[in-house]
Amino acid sequence: MSEDAFPQVLIAGNPNCGKSTLFNALSGGSAHVGNYPGVTVDRTSARVRLGDKSIELVDVPGMYSLTASSPEEQLAVNALVERNTGAVICVVDATTLERGLYLGLQLIESSVPVVIALNMMDSAERLGLEIDTDRLSKRLGAPVIPVVATKRLGLERLLGALDEQLTRAGEGAAVDIAYPDALEADVATITPLIGQWRPETSARQRRSFAFWSLLSLGDDSLRGVPNEVRDAVDAVRSAAEAQGRDLDLEIIASRYAWLDEAVAEACSARAAPPSWSERIDRVLTHPIVGIFVFAVVMFAIFEALFAGAEPFIGAIETFTGFMQTQAAALIPAGILQDLVVEGIIAGVGNVIVFAPQILMLFLFIGFLEDSGYLARVAFVIDRVMKSVGLHGKAFVPLLSGFACAVPAVMSTRTIERRRDRLVTMLALPLMSCSARLPVYILVVGTVFAGQSLGWFSAGAVALFSMYTLSVLVTLGAAAVIRRTVLPGPAPTFVLEMPPYRWPSAQILWINAWRRLRIFLVDAGTIILAMTILLWALLSFPKSAQVAERFALERQRVEQSAAPEAVKSEAIRALDADEAAAQLANSFGGRFGHAIEPALRPIGFDWQIGVGIIGAFAAREVFISTLGVVFGIGEADEENKPLRQALRDARHADGTPVMTPLSGVSLMVFFLLACQCMSTIAVVKRESGSWKWPAFLFAYMTVLAYAASLAVYQGGQLLGYG
């Protein structure tokens, strides 16, 4: 049987209703994660046995209704009415019945066979809420099955009801909602055009699509809708507006009136939320105290990220170094050895070194989201974020950018709308990540050693200024991008506070692991390829004359009468000098010389330029590249010979390369430039196109150069040169 022959069973529901928990419980946690065609929205699916047949279980993106106001939401709507959709499991939070059943009611109206999974029944019982699922099932015309997904309760009944729905031929049950006569006339006007657009649909499906069109087609970003349908909807809406009618209100109010009656019949009691939840909310949603609590929580998370991930990162780096040593011992010296050691193994190391932070960050974010706390944070911080055109949920990715932009970009997936995600991921690389800190320390130790500004050391002031500037520039960039490149209204933030819950450790782990696996497979491939390309640029062409000259030098040292320790030290120095000479002759070195005229106005020379090129692998590589350039060999930010070499470096006219002014210029450049191929790779992965990472690299490079130019030239005009 072909893959297309397996019927699809879609799992739909509101965010935070336990939809993904139920999916994992039914699929056993073994699922395939990919993207829907054309957009970077996860499509999580699994092949599941149901009786004597197989079905494809698909986790649809969370939504509150079938109304589409973005291409991503339209995607979910299209998935729900595909011809291969055998049935839909609509997951409803039993503690917020009307809100969840609104989506279920729309699904039933669309004629697709539906099973209502009434999840979190244990929470409803604790609230004193009794639900007669049999009576509710009769009103809806669809089976309503009580389940507790976290405890795997009710799953057998759910699968049995699903099997019956799939076995039953024809459309699902119908419901009779009393829409106003004028609205029915409007729908009758649009329905024939829906039939021309989607001739394969039934009469009930066309009617459902007519309602969908009236609610959704105000957004020009929705794709694939013919102009005839758009024009008819515009005409109907204009006529209704002229009559003083609100079509949205007529549709939504009619549905909720039907739901209110159905829920009132099925529910014997309504209990108020527990007082402890209200007391906690008064603290966590307070405009001042709430932000303070969140700051403490995020500080604890970042401390855990740094302290908790550091041993694993160190182990990965140690293992990578061990593998490089072993490969160097097994493979004869030459191009193949360099490719394997400096290209492939180093490239794989550049990928997996992010794994601990990515995994831990998504575990933390998953806990905050599933527990209900992240919704409170987004509510509190939304006013500040909205002022610069960012979504309330952008705050967590922005703060995560202080640790590393790679997991921060991936964490923008908590933001529902694509436009809001793009604005956030295009601005957050300006947050000063931990990889920039070694560069700051090197520069501060080189040009500000022993200097002070009043009560404070000059180095401390410089570091504080960099981090403050990063926050201001990030928010400013977001405001500009929102108003120019991605224009649109300020993101609307409508939120119903979910109840507090203790997340499932298994679900947290599964979701975090899926995110990590996506990064390793998709972004990791790009990072590996770019690492090998960068290695080639800094390694070729090899100069035979340079190699011959240093071979003769080594021979003279070895034939001398000096002690063995002296000979070994001299040979190590010659190796470092040869590496520096070969680097200067490489494509990267030649490019550094070529761009030196452009670097001089911002205070750099060709050696700094080569370091900038090398830093594209990772910002901290700037230091080790400079170590090679200056013939020092292995170096870090505390390396005294490297600091001294930078102090002694001179331009062709004899002026020093590194001064306090050029040092500040260099720090500003590294703060604002996109010197990180891993960030480029993950933005490509998350945006689904090379257009946005190309824009990111271009605007950050121009911004970095312009800012460094202003700092250096302005400082010289003020007499600080």
Side-chain angles (χ1 to χ4, degrees):
M1 183 180 292
S2 68
E3 183 174 345
D4 290 339
F6 291 106
Q8 285 186 349
V9 174
L10 308 182
I11 298 186
N14 300 165
N16 297 310
C17 70
K19 177 173 59 68
S20 296
T21 304
L22 180 62
F23 173 86
N24 289 319
L26 293 174
S27 66
S30 57
H32 171 73
V33 181
N35 279 347
Y36 286 95
V39 295
T40 52
V41 177
D42 279 351
R43 184 186 190 276
T44 308
S45 62
R47 188 67 52 77
V48 176
R49 290 294 299 178
L50 183 64
D52 59 352
K53 56 182 173 291
S54 291
I55 62 172
E56 184 187 12
L57 205 62
V58 180
D59 190 3
V60 176
M63 53 187 170
Y64 290 101
S65 72
L66 295 186
T67 303
S69 56
S70 70
E72 288 85 351
E73 291 176 348
Q74 185 186 6
L75 186 71
V77 174
N78 291 341
L80 290 166
V81 294
E82 286 178 356
R83 282 174 290 180
N84 197 35
T85 298
V88 177
I89 299 175
C90 181
V91 186
V92 175
D93 183 346
T95 65
T96 55
L97 201 54
E98 290 96 333
R99 184 186 70 183
L101 284 177
Y102 184 84
L103 174 62
L105 182 60
Q106 284 186 285
L107 289 169
I108 293 169
E109 279 191 289
S110 70
S111 79
V112 63
V114 176
V115 178
I116 303 294
L118 204 56
N119 194 24
M120 303 179 188
M121 286 296 292
D122 52 345
S123 298
E125 291 173 2
R126 285 195 296 270
L127 294 175
L129 186 63
E130 296 181 3
I131 303 173
D132 187 337
T133 55
D134 291 334
R135 179 173 294 182
L136 187 59
S137 178
K138 289 179 182 178
R139 283 298 304 260
L140 291 169
V144 178
I145 311 299
V147 299
V148 181
T150 55
K151 301 177 182 177
R152 303 182 64 86
L153 299 178
L155 298 190
E156 290 186 7
R157 283 191 60 193
L158 179 65
L159 291 175
L162 176 62
D163 196 13
E164 289 182 9
Q165 291 290 83
L166 289 172
T167 303
R168 182 182 303 161
E171 298 180 336
V175 291
D176 185 16
I177 299 176
Y179 291 111
D181 292 339
L183 178 60
E184 291 285 6
D186 294 335
V187 170
T189 302
I190 300 171
T191 301
L193 297 174
I194 301 293
Q196 297 175 16
W197 172 29
R198 292 178 173 266
E200 76 282 0
T201 55
S202 66
R204 280 178 56 195
Q205 287 175 323
R206 293 169 189 173
R207 173 181 166 84
S208 174
F209 258 104
F211 280 110
W212 174 86
S213 300
L214 288 172
L215 287 172
S216 303
L217 292 186
D219 192 330
D220 293 335
S221 68
L222 298 183
R223 308 183 186 97
V225 181
N227 291 333
E228 293 79 7
V229 176
R230 290 185 183 276
D231 293 342
V233 169
D234 288 343
V236 167
R237 294 192 70 89
S238 297
E241 186 177 349
Q243 297 168 11
R245 295 168 52 212
D246 187 331
L247 289 180
D248 294 355
L249 182 61
E250 289 179 7
I251 297 172
I252 296 171
S254 298
R255 287 171 174 166
Y256 269 111
W258 190 94
L259 281 173
D260 288 341
E261 183 180 339
V263 170
E265 287 183 9
C267 296
S268 59
R270 301 283 184 96
S275 58
W276 65 266
S277 178
E278 291 181 347
R279 288 196 295 268
I280 293 176
D281 276 348
R282 280 197 290 269
V283 175
L284 297 184
T285 61
H286 190 277
I288 298 176
V289 179
I291 292 178
F292 174 76
V293 172
F294 180 59
V296 173
V297 170
M298 290 307 298
F299 177 82
I301 288 177
F302 287 132
E303 182 64 25
L305 279 178
F306 280 112
E310 188 60 36
F312 297 101
I313 293 174
I316 291 171
E317 291 174 340
T318 300
F319 180 73
T320 301
F322 170 77
M323 293 300 297
Q324 288 178 308
T325 302
Q326 295 300 308
L330 293 173
I331 303 173
I335 294 177
L336 179 60
Q337 183 193 87
D338 290 345
L339 172 62
V340 173
V341 174
E342 302 298 334
I344 297 175
I345 297 179
V348 172
N350 285 342
V351 174
I352 62 176
V353 76
F354 292 106
Q357 282 190 332
I358 290 175
L359 188 63
M360 292 183 69
L361 182 61
F362 274 109
L363 284 173
F364 288 133
I365 290 178
F367 182 88
L368 296 180
E369 186 169 25
D370 292 352
S371 66
Y373 177 59
L374 194 60
R376 275 81 181 172
V377 174
F379 171 78
V380 171
I381 207 68
D382 179 63
R383 180 177 298 177
V384 178
M385 294 289 98
K386 194 173 184 178
S387 65
V388 295
L390 289 171
H391 193 278
K393 289 185 178 180
F395 199 63
V396 171
L398 290 180
L399 285 181
S400 303
F402 276 127
C404 179
V406 172
V409 169
M410 295 184 68
S411 69
T412 59
R413 291 184 170 207
T414 59
I415 303 172
E416 291 83 4
R417 301 290 177 84
R418 174 176 169 80
R419 189 192 304 270
D420 299 332
R421 288 199 304 272
L422 283 173
V423 172
T424 305
M425 74 174 67
L426 291 175
L428 73 81
L430 289 165
M431 299 294 282
S432 192
C433 67
S434 59
R436 291 175 168 102
L437 186 57
V439 179
Y440 299 159
I441 292 174
L442 174 66
V443 174
V444 166
T446 300
V447 300
F448 292 119
Q451 298 185 32
S452 62
L453 294 174
W455 292 83
F456 306 101
S457 71
V461 173
L463 286 177
F464 177 79
S465 299
M466 290 300 104
Y467 282 92
T468 302
L469 180 62
S470 75
V471 174
L472 296 177
V473 173
T474 300
L475 296 179
V480 172
I481 292 171
R482 166 65 72 179
R483 289 162 176 78
T484 55
V485 180
L486 291 165
T492 302
F493 191 53
V494 179
L495 179 70
E496 182 173 344
M497 295 297 180
Y500 292 104
R501 297 188 179 93
W502 188 259
S504 164
Q506 180 186 13
I507 300 305
L508 289 178
W509 173 259
I510 289 173
N511 290 334
W513 169 248
R514 285 176 181 165
R515 301 296 190 208
L516 176 60
R517 188 172 59 186
I518 289 171
F519 167 76
L520 293 176
V521 174
D522 295 344
T525 304
I526 300 173
I527 295 171
L528 176 60
M530 296 174 75
T531 300
I532 294 174
L533 176 61
L534 189 59
W535 161 80
L537 288 175
L538 296 175
S539 301
F540 296 100
K542 298 287 188 183
S543 171
Q545 292 84 353
V546 170
E548 183 178 352
R549 174 162 57 88
F550 279 94
L552 291 174
E553 291 288 339
R554 290 190 192 89
Q555 185 177 4
R556 279 196 289 270
V557 170
E558 291 170 352
Q559 292 174 353
S560 69
E564 288 301 320
V566 175
K567 289 182 181 181
S568 297
E569 183 62 31
I571 289 176
R572 278 197 296 270
L574 286 173
D575 289 342
D577 289 340
E578 181 180 5
Q582 292 287 14
L583 178 62
N585 185 67
S586 69
F587 292 119
R590 295 176 186 181
F591 184 68
H593 280 286
I595 64 175
E596 186 172 28
L599 297 178
R600 283 298 300 272
I602 59 176
F604 309 159
D605 68 346
W606 74 270
Q607 293 169 309
I608 301 295
V610 173
I612 291 173
I613 296 169
F616 194 61
R619 289 182 176 94
E620 59 269 33
V621 174
F622 173 77
I623 298 168
S624 58
T625 304
L626 285 184
V628 176
V629 169
F630 286 103
I632 294 170
E634 292 294 327
D636 59 26
E637 63 270 22
E638 302 288 348
N639 189 278
K640 292 182 179 179
L642 178 57
R643 291 183 177 182
Q644 190 59 50
L646 286 169
R647 294 188 190 104
D648 295 339
R650 294 291 184 269
H651 290 294
D653 59 5
T655 58
V657 172
M658 291 301 296
T659 64
L661 184 58
S662 62
V664 172
S665 175
L666 182 58
M667 287 194 293
V668 168
F669 185 88
F670 262 87
L671 169 66
L672 302 178
C674 189
Q675 293 298 115
C676 182
M677 67 181 182
S678 302
T679 301
I680 295 290
V682 78
V683 170
K684 189 272 175 187
R685 167 63 181 76
E686 294 301 305
S687 67
S689 167
W690 279 108
K691 176 179 71 174
W692 295 113
F695 169 75
L696 175 71
F697 179 78
Y699 103 76
M700 288 184 66
T701 301
V702 171
L703 178 62
Y705 187 88
S708 293
L709 184 67
V711 167
Y712 190 73
Q713 296 298 326
Q716 286 194 322
L717 289 175
L718 294 174
Y720 293 110

